[in-house]
Amino acid sequence: MGAIVAAANFTKALKLVLERRRVMAAADEIAGVLTYAKAETVAINTPLWVRFDPDPNNSLSCTAVVTLSSSDTCRCYYAANNICPNTGAKLLRLFQLPRQHVRFSAQASAWGGPANYISFSRDQMSISARNFQVNVVGLRHGYTLRVEVNTGGRV
């Protein structure tokens, strides 16, 4: 009987560790996307958008780094080969995460433009959104991490 209880406790602990690792990996990837966008803006001297579009089907969480265009048709939840249909915008980086174990979403107290995306410019030390954060949450146990861009533009 004791072995069964020990095995059950071990399984529960393992699931919690796996969820934490998945949340940490997703948060690291999001931080990497934001850092990449900031660095790439400086390297190519072109403003970039980092999009966090909510998926209307609620099947995935996503973020995409795209160049600016005259029309706002890019959505990070579109198929990878068609993120920005009928526009001159180019996809530079994409992270799509199926909502099986972890989800993430972006929030801001004020977006400073259209909701769900931020922009980086070469000479800009901060982003236009205020109190921007991305919350990464494990779906089973609710383990949560937050990724922020501070007022100095650091991730």
Side-chain angles (χ1 to χ4, degrees):
M1 184 68 170
I4 294 172
V5 171
N9 287 337
F10 176 76
T11 302
K12 184 177 179 180
L14 184 60
K15 287 179 181 180
L16 186 58
V17 168
L18 285 174
E19 178 171 293
R20 286 183 178 169
R21 294 296 302 150
R22 288 177 177 134
V23 168
M24 290 168 58
D28 285 346
E29 182 67 21
I30 293 162
V33 167
L34 293 167
T35 302
Y36 166 82
K38 187 165 176 74
E40 190 66 10
T41 293
V42 172
I44 65 175
N45 195 22
T46 301
L48 297 176
W49 293 107
V50 182
R51 305 189 62 98
F52 292 90
D53 304 299
D55 178 14
N57 297 322
N58 211 24
S59 63
L60 61 83
S61 297
C62 60
T63 184
V65 178
V66 298
T67 59
L68 299 179
S69 72
S70 58
S71 61
D72 182 27
T73 60
C74 300
R75 298 293 180 269
C76 65
Y77 54 82
Y78 288 165
N81 63 350
N82 198 31
I83 295 293
C84 298
N86 306 319
T87 181
K90 294 180 182 170
L91 173 66
L92 300 179
R93 188 157 173 185
L94 177 65
F95 177 47
Q96 293 180 328
L97 183 65
R99 288 192 180 186
Q100 295 171 332
H101 304 287
V102 176
R103 68 173 170 80
F104 64 87
S105 60
Q107 299 170 336
S109 60
W111 284 102
N116 300 312
Y117 61 88
I118 60 172
S119 65
F120 288 102
S121 299
R122 181 181 178 133
D123 298 324
Q124 176 184 358
M125 290 304 295
S126 62
I127 58 174
S128 57
R130 285 192 311 234
N131 301 315
F132 172 78
Q133 63 189 29
V134 180
N135 293 308
V136 184
V137 180
L139 297 178
R140 180 172 292 239
H141 299 285
Y143 184 70
T144 304
L145 285 177
R146 179 181 299 154
V147 180
E148 298 177 342
V149 178
N150 69 18
T151 56
R154 293 188 179 208
V155 178

